């Protein structure tokens, strides 16, 4: 997983305003929405023992172990439009999205091609 410069800047800004120390941003997926899955984002006070920890552009991202195969190759961006600002996941494993854009269908990457970061 990688971040665009805009996403990294936004994550740094959000983390800097936290009232407690944070290890980074935890990214995951969960079942829900009309397309079947939703991306999740939350503050991470500490890395879990099975988290995949990625550092890109000075930002630490902790990937929930259940989401690793769904997020392989994903680029996280931050877009500003006329009436909104939001994080966008450009995921090569995503096969479709619902009309409102809140949920997606994702096919996990083939496990035997995955090599964890060290």
């Amino acid at each position: 997983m990688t971040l665009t410069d805009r996403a990294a800047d936004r994550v740094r800004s959000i983390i800097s305003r936290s009232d407690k120390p944070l290890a980074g941003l935890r990214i995951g997926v969960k079942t829900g929405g009309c397309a079947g899955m939703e991306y999740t984002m939350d503050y991470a006070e500490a890395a879990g023992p099975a988290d995949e920890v990625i550092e890109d552009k000075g930002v630490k991202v902790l990937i929930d172990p259940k989401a690793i195969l769904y997020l392989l190759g994903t680029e996280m961006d931050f877009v500003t439009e006329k009436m909104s600002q939001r994080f966008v996941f450009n995921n090569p494993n995503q096969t479709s999205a619902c009309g409102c854009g809140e949920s997606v269908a994702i096919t996990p990457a083939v496990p035997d091609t995955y090599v964890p970061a060290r």
Side-chain angles (χ1 to χ4, degrees):
M1 182 163 187
T2 60
L3 286 81
T4 64
D5 290 335
R6 289 184 303 261
D9 289 344
R10 183 64 178 155
V11 170
R12 272 193 297 276
S13 173
I14 291 169
I15 288 175
S16 73
R17 290 181 285 183
S18 173
D19 57 351
K20 53 187 156 187
L22 298 173
L25 183 69
R26 179 168 283 111
I27 307 287
V29 294
K30 68 177 185 175
T31 53
C34 51
M37 299 191 91
E38 299 173 329
Y39 295 105
T40 63
M41 295 175 54
D42 203 357
Y43 297 121
E45 293 181 29
D51 284 342
E52 181 78 15
V53 180
I54 298 166
E55 190 161 346
D56 188 25
K57 297 175 181 65
V59 174
K60 274 194 182 171
V61 177
L62 293 78
I63 309 294
D64 181 309
K66 292 175 260 168
I68 291 170
L69 294 177
Y70 292 101
L71 297 175
L72 283 176
T74 298
E75 177 190 65
M76 188 170 92
D77 195 7
F78 184 74
V79 297
T80 301
E81 297 169 337
K82 188 172 185 174
M83 301 292 282
S84 68
Q85 294 182 324
R86 61 192 167 96
F87 286 100
V88 174
F89 294 87
N90 300 310
N91 186 340
N93 306 304
Q94 182 176 315
T95 56
S96 66
C98 68
C100 68
E102 293 296 318
S103 66
V104 294
I106 308 171
T107 302
V110 179
D112 58 334
T113 62
Y114 172 66
V115 177
R118 298 269 178 229

